[in-house]
Amino acid sequence: VSGTFSGPALPSLGIRRLGPADASVLELLARDDADFDLRADGPARAALSREAAEAHLSDPHVLHWVASRDGAILGSLFCHLLPMRKQPAQELLLYEIGVRSAWRRRGVGRLLVSAMTDWMRATGIVTAWVLADNPGAERFYAACGFGPGSGPAVYLELHL
Ligand SMILES: CC(C)(COP(=O)(O)OP(=O)(O)OC[C@H]1O[C@@H](n2cnc3c(N)ncnc32)[C@H](O)[C@@H]1OP(=O)(O)O)[C@@H](O)C(=O)NCCC(=O)NCCS
């Protein structure tokens, strides 16, 4: 889904899905990672190599939308399409969303989620889930229609 959306706070905002030619966008998102994150003073991140970025962006299970205005990227939403072992055969993991710190509370995040849900409707994907890691994000997801998941879950990691 791509297009131009209008709202009272943002006169003109373009939303588009990234494709294989957008490796430079991943570079920018890695460089400015902290500005899209909760802690604006965090470090830059190492970008994928150009080849790895192209492979990542060519993967049909990768869905990545960006919001921009006058050529400047203001927000990003990155999802994984997950194959399941039973019906429904696929669901969507909203892995990461970030809006530049100076552009928050102006509807950018909501428009990115709308691009995702438009794509879900067009594709027949009925479930998306996310792990919210801060109270503001929880309220944002609630405002976008997310509700509590169906079971208790504890987030764990394994590092080798
Ligand atoms: C979460 C985030 C993506 C929201 O993006 P945004 O563009 O600011 O959100 P929107 O302006 O579209 O907000 C839509 C609605 O969500 C709710 N909302 C958004 N941020 C909120 C906050 N910090 N506290 C409470 N409610 C919030 C409000 O109801 C808001 O509508 P309103 O402004 O008319 O009251 C953005 O705050 C962000 O990038 N945060 C840092 C990264 C992060 O936390 N990502 C999620 C990690 S799980």
Side-chain angles (χ1 to χ4, degrees):
V1 174
S2 65
T4 302
F5 300 80
S6 294
L10 279 169
S12 166
L13 188 73
I15 305 273
R16 72 180 180 91
R17 185 170 162 195
L18 298 184
D22 286 310
S24 61
V25 177
L26 297 192
E27 280 172 25
L28 175 133
L29 291 173
R31 191 179 62 234
D32 290 357
D33 190 77
D35 194 37
F36 290 87
D37 206 345
L38 201 56
R39 283 195 57 225
D41 59 348
R45 299 302 182 112
L48 293 176
S49 69
R50 185 55 67 129
E51 296 72 27
E54 285 171 9
H56 172 80
L57 292 166
S58 302
D59 185 335
H61 297 96
V62 167
L63 294 117
H64 201 153
W65 289 272
V66 292
S68 51
R69 188 178 176 216
D70 299 331
I73 291 184
L74 308 183
S76 151
L77 189 169
F78 167 42
C79 298
H80 291 282
L81 183 60
L82 302 176
M84 308 306 289
R85 66 174 172 79
K86 54 181 169 49
Q87 296 289 347
Q90 292 175 309
E91 63 185 31
L92 204 57
L93 164 57
L94 196 175
Y95 185 80
E96 178 186 76
I97 183 168
V99 172
R100 281 200 183 275
S101 50
W103 287 90
R104 292 182 190 155
R105 298 305 290 266
R106 298 167 84 167
V108 178
R110 203 191 279 275
L111 283 176
L112 284 163
V113 172
S114 294
M116 182 192 85
T117 52
D118 284 353
W119 181 89
M120 289 173 68
R121 283 192 190 90
T123 317
I125 306 293
V126 295
T127 304
W129 56 276
V130 67
L131 295 170
D133 68 5
N134 65 81
E138 275 186 61
R139 288 194 283 275
F140 166 71
Y141 293 126
C144 292
F146 284 75
S150 54
V154 179
Y155 176 72
L156 304 166
E157 292 184 352
L158 172 66
H159 297 279
L160 298 181

